[in-house]
Amino acid sequence: TQFLYFVRRLKERKDVKQIYKSFQSGSKVEMDKVTFFSFLQREQGVDVSADLEHWTNTFEKFARATRPKATPVDGGEIPLPRSA
């Protein structure tokens, strides 16, 4: 357990966390697309407008991966798996 804690701490990137926190807006944990584009331009020197479709797709790909699965609208039912 101590070794795993050590490795986890070793992999932690405080420099990246600091940059990420500087781009967070308010109490939001995730970046929105505008903030992501701002990060790319200011920190990475990327001309987002040169390939806007690529960067929009990149954002959507990773933003979608972190979003929780959708829940049904009020009154909707969650289908249960069928038993075999």
Coordinates of all heavy atoms in Angstrom, one line a residue:
T1 N 0.8 -1.2 0.0 CA 0.0 0.0 0.0 C 0.9 1.3 0.0 O 0.6 2.2 -0.7 CB -0.9 0.0 1.2 OG1 -1.2 -1.3 1.6 CG2 -2.2 0.8 0.9
Q2 N 1.9 1.3 0.8 CA 2.8 2.4 0.8 C 3.5 2.6 -0.5 O 3.7 3.8 -1.0 CB 3.8 2.3 1.9 CG 3.2 2.5 3.3 CD 4.3 2.3 4.4 OE1 5.4 1.8 4.1 NE2 4.0 2.8 5.6
F3 N 3.9 1.5 -1.2 CA 4.5 1.6 -2.5 C 3.6 2.2 -3.5 O 3.9 3.1 -4.3 CB 5.0 0.3 -2.9 CG 5.7 0.3 -4.3 CD1 6.9 0.9 -4.4 CD2 5.0 -0.2 -5.4 CE1 7.5 1.0 -5.7 CE2 5.6 -0.1 -6.6 CZ 6.8 0.4 -6.8
L4 N 2.3 1.8 -3.5 CA 1.3 2.3 -4.4 C 1.1 3.8 -4.2 O 1.0 4.6 -5.1 CB 0.0 1.5 -4.3 CG 0.0 0.1 -4.8 CD1 -1.3 -0.6 -4.6 CD2 0.4 0.0 -6.3
Y5 N 1.1 4.2 -3.0 CA 0.9 5.6 -2.6 C 2.1 6.4 -3.2 O 1.9 7.5 -3.7 CB 0.8 5.8 -1.1 CG 0.7 7.2 -0.7 CD1 -0.5 8.0 -0.9 CD2 1.8 7.8 -0.1 CE1 -0.5 9.3 -0.5 CE2 1.7 9.2 0.3 CZ 0.6 9.9 0.1 OH 0.5 11.2 0.5
F6 N 3.3 5.8 -3.0 CA 4.5 6.5 -3.4 C 4.5 6.7 -5.0 O 4.7 7.8 -5.5 CB 5.7 5.7 -3.1 CG 7.0 6.1 -3.7 CD1 7.6 7.3 -3.3 CD2 7.5 5.4 -4.8 CE1 8.8 7.7 -4.0 CE2 8.7 5.8 -5.4 CZ 9.3 6.9 -5.0
V7 N 4.1 5.6 -5.7 CA 4.0 5.7 -7.1 C 3.0 6.7 -7.6 O 3.2 7.5 -8.5 CB 3.8 4.3 -7.8 CG1 3.5 4.4 -9.2 CG2 4.9 3.4 -7.5
R8 N 1.8 6.7 -6.9 CA 0.8 7.6 -7.3 C 1.3 9.1 -7.1 O 1.0 9.9 -7.9 CB -0.5 7.4 -6.4 CG -1.7 8.0 -6.9 CD -2.9 7.6 -6.1 NE -3.1 6.2 -6.1 CZ -3.3 5.5 -4.9 NH1 -3.3 6.1 -3.8 NH2 -3.4 4.2 -5.0
R9 N 1.9 9.3 -6.0 CA 2.5 10.7 -5.7 C 3.6 11.0 -6.7 O 3.7 12.2 -7.1 CB 3.0 10.8 -4.3 CG 2.0 10.6 -3.2 CD 1.0 11.7 -3.0 NE 1.8 12.8 -2.6 CZ 1.4 14.1 -2.6 NH1 0.2 14.4 -3.0 NH2 2.1 15.1 -2.2
L10 N 4.3 10.1 -7.1 CA 5.4 10.3 -8.1 C 4.8 10.7 -9.4 O 5.4 11.6 -10.1 CB 6.2 9.0 -8.2 CG 7.5 9.1 -9.0 CD1 8.5 10.1 -8.4 CD2 8.1 7.7 -9.2
K11 N 3.7 10.1 -9.8 CA 3.1 10.4 -11.1 C 2.3 11.7 -11.1 O 2.0 12.2 -12.2 CB 2.2 9.3 -11.5 CG 2.9 8.0 -11.9 CD 1.8 6.9 -12.3 CE 2.5 5.6 -12.7 NZ 1.5 4.6 -13.1
E12 N 2.0 12.2 -10.0 CA 1.2 13.4 -9.9 C 2.0 14.6 -10.5 O 3.1 14.8 -10.2 CB 0.9 13.7 -8.4 CG -0.1 14.8 -8.2 CD -0.4 15.0 -6.7 OE1 -1.2 14.2 -6.2 OE2 0.1 15.9 -6.1
R13 N 1.3 15.4 -11.3 CA 1.9 16.5 -12.0 C 1.4 17.8 -11.4 O 0.3 18.3 -11.9 CB 1.6 16.4 -13.5 CG 2.2 15.3 -14.2 CD 3.7 15.5 -14.5 NE 4.0 16.8 -15.1 CZ 4.1 17.0 -16.4 NH1 4.0 16.0 -17.3 NH2 4.4 18.2 -16.8
K14 N 2.0 18.3 -10.5 CA 1.6 19.6 -9.8 C 1.6 20.7 -10.8 O 0.8 21.6 -10.7 CB 2.5 19.9 -8.6 CG 2.2 18.9 -7.5 CD 2.9 19.3 -6.2 CE 2.4 18.4 -5.1 NZ 3.3 17.5 -4.6
D15 N 2.5 20.7 -11.7 CA 2.6 21.8 -12.7 C 1.4 21.8 -13.6 O 0.8 22.8 -13.9 CB 3.9 21.7 -13.6 CG 4.1 20.4 -14.2 OD1 3.6 19.3 -13.7 OD2 4.7 20.3 -15.3
V16 N 0.9 20.6 -14.0 CA -0.3 20.5 -14.8 C -1.5 20.9 -14.0 O -2.4 21.6 -14.5 CB -0.4 19.1 -15.4 CG1 -1.8 18.9 -16.1 CG2 0.7 18.7 -16.3
K17 N -1.6 20.5 -12.8 CA -2.7 20.8 -11.9 C -2.8 22.4 -11.8 O -3.9 22.9 -11.8 CB -2.6 20.2 -10.5 CG -3.0 18.8 -10.5 CD -3.0 18.3 -9.1 CE -3.5 16.8 -9.1 NZ -3.6 16.3 -7.7
Q18 N -1.7 23.0 -11.6 CA -1.7 24.5 -11.4 C -2.2 25.2 -12.7 O -3.0 26.1 -12.6 CB -0.3 25.0 -11.1 CG -0.2 26.4 -10.8 CD 1.2 26.8 -10.4 OE1 2.1 26.0 -10.5 NE2 1.3 28.1 -10.0
I19 N -1.8 24.7 -13.8 CA -2.3 25.3 -15.1 C -3.7 25.0 -15.3 O -4.5 25.9 -15.6 CB -1.5 24.7 -16.3 CG1 0.0 25.2 -16.3 CG2 -2.1 25.1 -17.6 CD1 0.9 24.5 -17.2
Y20 N -4.2 23.8 -15.0 CA -5.6 23.4 -15.1 C -6.4 24.3 -14.2 O -7.5 24.9 -14.6 CB -5.8 22.0 -14.8 CG -7.2 21.5 -15.0 CD1 -7.6 21.2 -16.3 CD2 -8.1 21.4 -13.9 CE1 -9.0 20.7 -16.5 CE2 -9.4 21.0 -14.1 CZ -9.8 20.6 -15.4 OH -11.1 20.2 -15.6
K21 N -6.0 24.5 -13.0 CA -6.8 25.3 -12.0 C -6.9 26.8 -12.5 O -7.9 27.4 -12.2 CB -6.2 25.2 -10.6 CG -6.5 23.9 -9.9 CD -5.9 23.9 -8.5 CE -6.3 22.6 -7.9 NZ -5.8 22.5 -6.5
S22 N -5.8 27.2 -13.1 CA -5.9 28.6 -13.6 C -6.9 28.8 -14.7 O -7.3 30.0 -14.9 CB -4.5 29.1 -14.1 OG -4.2 28.5 -15.3
F23 N -7.3 27.8 -15.3 CA -8.3 27.9 -16.4 C -9.7 27.5 -15.9 O -10.7 27.6 -16.7 CB -7.9 27.0 -17.6 CG -6.9 27.7 -18.5 CD1 -5.6 27.5 -18.2 CD2 -7.3 28.5 -19.5 CE1 -4.6 28.1 -19.0 CE2 -6.3 29.1 -20.3 CZ -5.0 28.9 -20.0
Q24 N -9.9 27.0 -14.7 CA -11.2 26.6 -14.2 C -12.0 27.9 -13.9 O -11.5 28.9 -13.4 CB -11.1 25.8 -12.9 CG -10.7 24.4 -13.1 CD -10.7 23.7 -11.7 OE1 -10.0 24.2 -10.8 NE2 -11.3 22.6 -11.6
S25 N -13.3 27.8 -14.3 CA -14.1 29.0 -14.0 C -15.0 28.7 -12.9 O -15.8 27.7 -12.9 CB -14.9 29.3 -15.3 OG -15.6 28.2 -15.7
G26 N -14.9 29.4 -11.8 CA -15.7 29.3 -10.6 C -15.5 27.9 -10.0 O -14.4 27.5 -9.8
S27 N -16.7 27.3 -9.7 CA -16.6 26.0 -9.0 C -16.7 24.8 -9.9 O -16.8 23.7 -9.5 CB -17.8 25.9 -8.0 OG -19.0 26.0 -8.7
K28 N -16.6 25.1 -11.2 CA -16.7 24.0 -12.2 C -15.4 23.2 -12.1 O -14.3 23.7 -12.0 CB -16.8 24.6 -13.6 CG -18.2 25.1 -14.0 CD -18.2 25.5 -15.4 CE -19.5 26.0 -15.9 NZ -19.5 26.4 -17.3
V29 N -15.6 21.9 -12.2 CA -14.5 21.0 -12.2 C -14.0 20.7 -13.6 O -12.8 20.6 -13.9 CB -14.9 19.6 -11.5 CG1 -13.7 18.6 -11.6 CG2 -15.3 19.8 -10.1
E30 N -14.9 20.7 -14.6 CA -14.6 20.4 -16.0 C -14.4 21.7 -16.8 O -15.0 22.7 -16.4 CB -15.7 19.6 -16.6 CG -15.9 18.2 -16.0 CD -17.0 17.5 -16.6 OE1 -17.8 18.0 -17.4 OE2 -17.2 16.3 -16.2
M31 N -13.7 21.6 -17.8 CA -13.5 22.7 -18.7 C -14.6 22.7 -19.8 O -15.0 21.7 -20.3 CB -12.2 22.6 -19.5 CG -11.0 23.1 -18.8 SD -9.6 23.1 -20.0 CE -8.3 23.5 -18.9
D32 N -15.1 23.9 -20.1 CA -16.0 24.0 -21.3 C -15.2 24.2 -22.5 O -14.0 24.4 -22.5 CB -17.1 25.0 -21.1 CG -16.5 26.4 -20.9 OD1 -15.3 26.7 -21.2 OD2 -17.3 27.3 -20.4
K33 N -15.8 24.2 -23.7 CA -15.1 24.3 -24.9 C -14.4 25.6 -25.1 O -13.2 25.6 -25.5 CB -16.1 24.1 -26.1 CG -15.4 24.0 -27.4 CD -16.2 23.5 -28.5 CE -17.4 24.4 -28.9 NZ -18.1 24.0 -30.1
V34 N -15.0 26.7 -24.7 CA -14.3 28.0 -24.8 C -13.1 28.1 -23.9 O -12.0 28.5 -24.4 CB -15.3 29.1 -24.3 CG1 -14.6 30.5 -24.2 CG2 -16.5 29.2 -25.3
T35 N -13.1 27.5 -22.7 CA -12.0 27.5 -21.8 C -10.9 26.6 -22.4 O -9.7 26.9 -22.3 CB -12.4 27.0 -20.4 OG1 -13.5 27.8 -19.9 CG2 -11.2 27.0 -19.4
F36 N -11.3 25.4 -23.0 CA -10.3 24.5 -23.6 C -9.6 25.2 -24.7 O -8.4 25.1 -24.9 CB -11.1 23.3 -24.1 CG -10.2 22.3 -24.8 CD1 -9.1 21.6 -24.2 CD2 -10.5 22.0 -26.2 CE1 -8.3 20.7 -24.9 CE2 -9.7 21.1 -26.9 CZ -8.6 20.5 -26.2
F37 N -10.3 25.9 -25.6 CA -9.7 26.6 -26.7 C -8.8 27.7 -26.2 O -7.7 27.9 -26.8 CB -10.8 27.2 -27.6 CG -11.5 26.2 -28.5 CD1 -12.6 26.6 -29.3 CD2 -11.2 24.9 -28.4 CE1 -13.2 25.7 -30.1 CE2 -11.9 23.9 -29.2 CZ -12.9 24.4 -30.1
S38 N -9.2 28.4 -25.1 CA -8.3 29.4 -24.5 C -7.0 28.8 -24.0 O -5.9 29.3 -24.2 CB -9.1 30.1 -23.4 OG -8.2 31.0 -22.8
F39 N -7.1 27.6 -23.4 CA -6.0 26.9 -22.9 C -5.0 26.6 -24.1 O -3.8 26.8 -24.0 CB -6.4 25.6 -22.2 CG -5.3 24.6 -22.0 CD1 -4.3 24.8 -21.1 CD2 -5.2 23.5 -22.8 CE1 -3.2 23.9 -20.9 CE2 -4.2 22.6 -22.7 CZ -3.2 22.8 -21.7
L40 N -5.6 26.0 -25.1 CA -4.8 25.6 -26.3 C -4.0 26.8 -26.9 O -2.8 26.7 -27.2 CB -5.7 25.0 -27.4 CG -6.2 23.6 -27.1 CD1 -7.2 23.2 -28.2 CD2 -5.1 22.6 -27.0
Q41 N -4.7 28.0 -27.0 CA -4.1 29.1 -27.5 C -3.1 29.8 -26.6 O -2.0 30.0 -27.1 CB -5.2 30.2 -27.9 CG -6.1 29.7 -29.0 CD -7.3 30.6 -29.2 OE1 -7.8 31.2 -28.3 NE2 -7.9 30.5 -30.4
R42 N -3.4 29.9 -25.4 CA -2.5 30.6 -24.4 C -1.3 29.8 -24.0 O -0.2 30.2 -23.9 CB -3.3 31.2 -23.2 CG -4.1 32.4 -23.6 CD -4.9 33.0 -22.4 NE -4.4 32.7 -21.1 CZ -5.1 32.8 -20.0 NH1 -6.4 33.0 -20.1 NH2 -4.6 32.5 -18.8
E43 N -1.6 28.5 -23.6 CA -0.6 27.7 -23.0 C 0.2 26.8 -24.0 O 1.4 26.6 -23.8 CB -1.2 26.8 -21.9 CG -1.7 27.5 -20.7 CD -0.6 28.2 -19.9 OE1 0.5 27.7 -19.8 OE2 -0.9 29.3 -19.4
Q44 N -0.5 26.4 -25.1 CA 0.1 25.5 -26.0 C 0.5 26.2 -27.3 O 1.1 25.6 -28.2 CB -0.9 24.4 -26.4 CG -1.3 23.6 -25.2 CD -0.1 22.8 -24.5 OE1 0.6 22.1 -25.2 NE2 0.1 23.0 -23.2
G45 N 0.0 27.4 -27.5 CA 0.4 28.2 -28.7 C -0.3 27.6 -30.0 O 0.2 27.8 -31.1
V46 N -1.5 27.0 -29.8 CA -2.2 26.4 -30.9 C -3.1 27.5 -31.6 O -3.8 28.2 -30.9 CB -3.0 25.2 -30.5 CG1 -3.9 24.7 -31.6 CG2 -2.1 24.1 -29.9
D47 N -3.1 27.6 -32.9 CA -4.1 28.4 -33.6 C -5.3 27.6 -33.8 O -5.4 26.9 -34.9 CB -3.4 28.9 -34.9 CG -4.4 29.8 -35.7 OD1 -5.5 30.2 -35.1 OD2 -4.0 30.2 -36.8
V48 N -6.2 27.7 -32.9 CA -7.4 26.8 -33.0 C -8.3 27.2 -34.2 O -8.8 26.2 -34.8 CB -8.3 27.0 -31.7 CG1 -9.6 26.3 -31.8 CG2 -7.5 26.6 -30.4
S49 N -8.3 28.4 -34.6 CA -9.1 28.8 -35.7 C -8.6 28.2 -37.0 O -9.4 28.1 -38.0 CB -9.2 30.3 -35.8 OG -7.9 30.9 -36.0
A50 N -7.3 27.8 -37.1 CA -6.8 27.2 -38.3 C -7.4 25.9 -38.6 O -7.4 25.4 -39.8 CB -5.3 27.1 -38.2
D51 N -7.8 25.2 -37.6 CA -8.5 23.8 -37.7 C -9.6 23.7 -36.7 O -9.5 22.8 -35.8 CB -7.4 22.7 -37.7 CG -7.9 21.4 -38.2 OD1 -9.1 21.3 -38.6 OD2 -7.1 20.5 -38.3
L52 N -10.5 24.5 -36.7 CA -11.6 24.6 -35.7 C -12.3 23.3 -35.6 O -12.6 22.8 -34.5 CB -12.6 25.7 -36.0 CG -13.6 26.0 -35.0 CD1 -13.0 26.4 -33.6 CD2 -14.5 27.1 -35.4
E53 N -12.6 22.6 -36.7 CA -13.3 21.4 -36.7 C -12.6 20.3 -36.0 O -13.1 19.5 -35.2 CB -13.6 20.9 -38.1 CG -14.5 19.6 -38.2 CD -14.8 19.2 -39.6 OE1 -14.5 19.9 -40.6 OE2 -15.4 18.1 -39.7
H54 N -11.3 20.2 -36.2 CA -10.4 19.2 -35.5 C -10.5 19.4 -34.0 O -10.7 18.5 -33.2 CB -9.0 19.3 -36.0 CG -8.0 18.6 -35.1 ND1 -7.9 17.2 -35.1 CD2 -7.1 19.0 -34.2 CE1 -7.0 16.8 -34.2 NE2 -6.5 17.9 -33.6
W55 N -10.3 20.7 -33.5 CA -10.3 21.0 -32.1 C -11.6 20.8 -31.4 O -11.7 20.4 -30.3 CB -9.6 22.3 -31.8 CG -8.2 22.3 -32.2 CD1 -7.6 22.9 -33.2 CD2 -7.2 21.5 -31.5 NE1 -6.2 22.6 -33.2 CE2 -6.0 21.7 -32.2 CE3 -7.2 20.6 -30.5 CZ2 -4.8 21.1 -31.8 CZ3 -6.0 20.0 -30.1 CH2 -4.8 20.2 -30.8
T56 N -12.7 21.1 -32.2 CA -14.0 20.9 -31.7 C -14.3 19.4 -31.5 O -14.8 18.9 -30.5 CB -15.1 21.5 -32.6 OG1 -14.9 22.9 -32.7 CG2 -16.5 21.2 -32.1
N57 N -13.9 18.6 -32.5 CA -14.0 17.1 -32.4 C -13.2 16.6 -31.3 O -13.6 15.7 -30.6 CB -13.6 16.5 -33.7 CG -14.7 16.7 -34.8 OD1 -15.8 17.1 -34.6 ND2 -14.2 16.6 -36.1
T58 N -12.0 17.1 -31.1 CA -11.1 16.6 -30.0 C -11.8 16.9 -28.7 O -11.8 16.1 -27.8 CB -9.7 17.3 -30.1 OG1 -9.1 17.0 -31.3 CG2 -8.9 16.9 -28.9
F59 N -12.3 18.1 -28.5 CA -13.0 18.5 -27.2 C -14.2 17.6 -27.0 O -14.3 17.0 -25.9 CB -13.4 19.9 -27.3 CG -14.2 20.3 -26.1 CD1 -13.6 20.6 -24.9 CD2 -15.6 20.3 -26.1 CE1 -14.3 20.9 -23.7 CE2 -16.4 20.6 -25.0 CZ -15.7 20.9 -23.8
E60 N -15.0 17.4 -28.0 CA -16.2 16.6 -27.9 C -15.9 15.1 -27.5 O -16.5 14.5 -26.7 CB -17.1 16.6 -29.2 CG -17.7 18.0 -29.4 CD -18.7 18.3 -28.3 OE1 -19.4 17.5 -27.8 OE2 -18.8 19.5 -28.1
K61 N -14.8 14.6 -28.1 CA -14.4 13.2 -27.9 C -14.1 13.0 -26.4 O -14.5 12.1 -25.7 CB -13.2 12.9 -28.7 CG -12.6 11.5 -28.4 CD -11.3 11.3 -29.3 CE -10.6 10.1 -28.9 NZ -9.3 10.0 -29.7
F62 N -13.3 13.9 -25.8 CA -12.9 13.8 -24.5 C -13.9 14.3 -23.5 O -14.0 13.7 -22.4 CB -11.5 14.4 -24.2 CG -10.4 13.7 -24.9 CD1 -9.8 14.2 -26.1 CD2 -10.0 12.5 -24.5 CE1 -8.8 13.5 -26.8 CE2 -9.0 11.8 -25.1 CZ -8.4 12.3 -26.3
A63 N -14.7 15.2 -23.8 CA -15.7 15.7 -22.9 C -16.8 14.7 -22.8 O -17.3 14.4 -21.7 CB -16.3 17.0 -23.5
R64 N -17.1 14.0 -23.9 CA -18.1 12.9 -23.9 C -17.7 11.8 -23.0 O -18.4 11.1 -22.3 CB -18.4 12.5 -25.3 CG -19.5 11.5 -25.5 CD -19.9 11.2 -26.9 NE -18.7 11.0 -27.8 CZ -18.4 11.9 -28.8 NH1 -19.2 13.0 -29.0 NH2 -17.4 11.7 -29.6
A65 N -16.4 11.5 -23.1 CA -15.8 10.3 -22.3 C -16.0 10.6 -20.8 O -16.0 9.6 -20.1 CB -14.4 10.1 -22.7
T66 N -16.0 11.8 -20.4 CA -16.1 12.1 -18.9 C -17.5 12.3 -18.4 O -17.7 12.4 -17.2 CB -15.2 13.3 -18.5 OG1 -15.7 14.4 -19.2 CG2 -13.7 13.0 -18.9
R67 N -18.4 12.5 -19.3 CA -19.8 12.8 -18.9 C -20.4 11.5 -18.4 O -20.3 10.5 -18.9 CB -20.6 13.3 -20.0 CG -20.2 14.7 -20.5 CD -21.2 15.3 -21.5 NE -20.6 16.5 -22.0 CZ -20.5 16.8 -23.3 NH1 -21.0 15.9 -24.2 NH2 -20.0 17.9 -23.7
P68 N -21.3 11.7 -17.3 CA -22.0 10.5 -16.8 C -23.1 10.1 -17.8 O -23.5 10.9 -18.6 CB -22.7 11.0 -15.5 CG -22.6 12.5 -15.6 CD -21.5 12.9 -16.5
K69 N -23.4 8.9 -17.8 CA -24.5 8.4 -18.7 C -25.8 9.1 -18.5 O -26.1 9.5 -17.3 CB -24.6 6.9 -18.6 CG -23.4 6.1 -19.1 CD -23.7 4.7 -19.1 CE -22.5 3.9 -19.6 NZ -22.6 2.5 -19.7
A70 N -26.5 9.4 -19.5 CA -27.8 10.1 -19.4 C -28.8 9.3 -18.6 O -28.8 8.1 -18.6 CB -28.3 10.4 -20.8
T71 N -29.6 10.0 -17.9 CA -30.6 9.4 -17.1 C -31.9 9.8 -17.8 O -32.0 10.8 -18.5 CB -30.7 9.9 -15.6 OG1 -30.7 11.3 -15.6 CG2 -29.4 9.5 -14.9
P72 N -33.0 8.9 -17.6 CA -34.2 9.2 -18.3 C -34.9 10.5 -17.8 O -34.6 10.9 -16.6 CB -35.1 8.0 -17.9 CG -34.4 7.3 -16.8 CD -33.0 7.8 -16.8
V73 N -35.7 11.1 -18.6 CA -36.4 12.3 -18.3 C -37.4 12.0 -17.1 O -37.8 10.8 -17.0 CB -37.2 12.8 -19.5 CG1 -38.0 14.1 -19.2 CG2 -36.2 13.1 -20.7
D74 N -37.8 13.0 -16.3 CA -38.7 12.7 -15.2 C -39.9 11.8 -15.7 O -40.5 12.1 -16.7 CB -39.3 14.0 -14.7 CG -38.3 14.8 -13.9 OD1 -37.3 14.2 -13.5 OD2 -38.5 16.0 -13.7
G75 N -40.1 10.8 -14.9 CA -41.2 9.9 -15.3 C -40.8 8.8 -16.2 O -41.5 7.8 -16.4
G76 N -39.6 8.9 -16.8 CA -39.1 7.8 -17.7 C -38.7 6.6 -16.8 O -38.4 6.7 -15.7
E77 N -38.6 5.5 -17.5 CA -38.2 4.3 -16.8 C -36.8 3.9 -17.3 O -36.4 4.0 -18.5 CB -39.2 3.2 -17.1 CG -40.5 3.4 -16.4 CD -41.4 2.2 -16.6 OE1 -41.0 1.1 -16.9 OE2 -42.6 2.4 -16.4
I78 N -36.0 3.3 -16.4 CA -34.7 2.7 -16.8 C -34.9 1.3 -17.1 O -35.4 0.5 -16.3 CB -33.7 2.9 -15.6 CG1 -33.5 4.3 -15.2 CG2 -32.4 2.2 -16.0 CD1 -32.7 4.5 -14.0
P79 N -34.6 0.9 -18.3 CA -34.8 -0.5 -18.7 C -33.9 -1.4 -17.9 O -32.7 -1.1 -17.8 CB -34.5 -0.6 -20.2 CG -33.7 0.6 -20.5 CD -34.1 1.6 -19.4
L80 N -34.4 -2.5 -17.4 CA -33.6 -3.4 -16.6 C -33.1 -4.5 -17.5 O -33.8 -4.9 -18.5 CB -34.4 -4.0 -15.5 CG -34.9 -3.0 -14.4 CD1 -35.8 -3.8 -13.5 CD2 -33.8 -2.4 -13.7
P81 N -31.9 -5.1 -17.2 CA -31.4 -6.2 -18.1 C -32.3 -7.4 -17.9 O -32.9 -7.7 -16.9 CB -30.0 -6.5 -17.5 CG -29.9 -5.7 -16.3 CD -31.0 -4.7 -16.2
R82 N -32.5 -8.1 -19.0 CA -33.4 -9.3 -19.0 C -32.6 -10.4 -18.4 O -31.4 -10.6 -18.6 CB -33.8 -9.7 -20.4 CG -34.7 -8.6 -21.0 CD -35.0 -9.0 -22.5 NE -35.7 -8.0 -23.1 CZ -37.0 -8.0 -23.4 NH1 -37.7 -9.1 -23.1 NH2 -37.6 -7.0 -24.0
S83 N -33.3 -11.2 -17.6 CA -32.6 -12.4 -17.0 C -32.7 -13.5 -18.0 O -33.6 -13.7 -18.7 CB -33.3 -12.8 -15.6 OG -34.7 -13.0 -15.9
A84 N -31.6 -14.3 -17.9 CA -31.5 -15.4 -18.9 C -32.3 -16.6 -18.5 O -32.7 -16.9 -17.4 CB -30.1 -15.8 -19.1

